[in-house]
Amino acid sequence: GATLQAAAARTGRYFGVALAAGKLNDSTYTTIANREFNMVTAENEMKMDATEPNQNQFNFSQGDRILNWATQNGKQVRGHALAWHSQQPGWMQNMSGTQLRNAMLNHVTRVATYYKGKIHSWDVVNEAFADGNGGARRDSNLQRTGDDWIEAAFRAARAADPGAKLCYNDYNTDNWTWDKTQAVYRMVRDFKSRGVPIDCVGFQSHFNAQSAYNSNYRTTLSSFAALGVEVQITELDIEGSGQQQAQTYANVVNDCLAVPACKGITVWGVRDSDSWRSYGTPLLFDNSGNKKEAYTATLNAL
Ligand code: XIL
């Protein structure tokens, strides 16, 4: 079929997109989203600040707009994200210690319970490792509650929604030679060996000049898969333009297709003008919604 979702489905994979609730009344946007994609991630609407703006007062109105649009159009949904150092509500940013640990676990439990049975995969923990050399955890209020905060979050998510795949999601984990990649790999290996419930690893894959696509991406995906987890490309965008950008999109698709446990690819927005990046043209559709060379290369590679 001549759409991304149909082409991906031929090998049992999904092709997804991040959507913003505020754009669901833009018919150019929704027409493309409905035609091309069969998996949806809320770009911001299921994050901690959106879903628990005041402690223990949950607000799912915006997340539900995304979920309902997806459901009404026959799409599946990736949940993003239950625990993260960023986009925390103000009340949580000022918390620490046992109080914060319990608030985080309560958040994971309540949000995963609310969406129980409706989420294909949850990004349970997002971006918990530091960039650069050394492979350390990222310093954050959550990390300062103790190293075991990540596994505690996964256990709470499993208890709340046993049917959702539980993912660890991060960026700069695509290059197999990087310390950050190796540190996440060791964590996943440790979780699998100790029975901590983890089902998948999400590779955000925001590629630009500083964090460029590397041909060892396929090795990264297959190495994680060998630990017994699914791998998913969760937030793909590629800085650049023209044939060079198109070729990189094709490389990413080919790497996923080469790894049986790579079950899907999500791009982080519809048109270039929808991108979170303040510059550049990193997506598959131009500002007017026309298919770019990157789109054609992606479709042909699938
Ligand atoms: C971004 C959104 O696209 C922006 O709208 C928001 O202002 C900031 O967050 N890694 C992630 C995503 O896991 O949640 C981020 O999304 C992009 C980087």
Side-chain angles (χ1 to χ4, degrees), residues 57-262:
Q57 291 179 6
F58 291 83
N59 184 338
F60 298 107
S61 58
Q62 298 307 302
D64 283 350
R65 288 176 68 189
I66 299 286
L67 185 100
N68 291 337
W69 185 89
T71 306
Q72 283 160 14
N73 292 290
K75 321 293 185 194
Q76 291 187 280
V77 175
R78 295 194 79 263
H80 175 80
L82 292 172
W84 191 20
H85 71 277
S86 186
Q87 291 182 269
Q88 291 182 0
W91 62 265
M92 184 180 276
Q93 294 174 29
N94 300 321
M95 262 185 192
S96 62
T98 305
Q99 195 188 27
L100 173 60
R101 173 67 69 94
N102 289 336
M104 179 276 285
L105 293 174
N106 181 58
H107 181 87
V108 170
T109 299
R110 291 284 302 271
V111 176
T113 299
Y114 180 81
Y115 286 115
K116 181 180 177 174
K118 298 175 176 168
I119 301 294
H120 174 279
S121 301
W122 264 115
D123 292 330
V124 178
V125 170
N126 198 29
E127 302 182 347
F129 282 78
D131 290 310
N133 297 330
R137 293 286 182 87
R138 175 194 295 276
D139 181 48
S140 72
N141 60 345
L142 292 169
Q143 177 60 31
R144 289 191 290 271
T145 70
D147 253 357
D148 63 339
W149 75 275
I150 299 178
E151 62 191 85
F154 274 85
R155 289 200 166 94
R158 178 71 96 225
D161 186 358
K165 295 177 201 281
L166 305 182
C167 303
Y168 176 78
N169 192 55
D170 213 329
Y171 67 92
N172 284 356
T173 48
D174 26 82
N175 188 320
W176 183 240
T177 68
W178 287 347
D179 285 0
K180 184 172 174 180
T181 308
Q182 293 298 317
V184 174
Y185 177 83
R186 288 192 298 272
M187 180 188 74
V188 174
R189 189 175 58 188
D190 171 57
F191 280 12
K192 293 300 287 184
S193 74
R194 290 190 296 112
V196 178
I198 184 169
D199 307 302
C200 37
V201 175
F203 297 84
Q204 291 184 10
S205 309
H206 296 291
F207 292 121
N208 58 22
Q210 291 73 40
S211 302
Y213 167 82
N214 186 291
S215 58
N216 65 30
Y217 192 52
R218 189 179 298 198
T219 300
T220 304
L221 298 178
S222 62
S223 299
F224 275 86
L227 295 175
V229 287
E230 196 170 286
V231 293
Q232 303 180 16
I233 297 169
T234 52
E235 305 183 15
L236 180 63
D237 50 27
I238 301 173
E239 201 45 72
S241 61
Q243 255 319 112
Q244 193 188 13
Q245 177 186 51
Q247 184 58 53
T248 308
Y249 267 101
N251 291 343
V252 170
V253 170
N254 286 328
D255 290 342
C256 181
L257 294 187
V259 178
C262 183

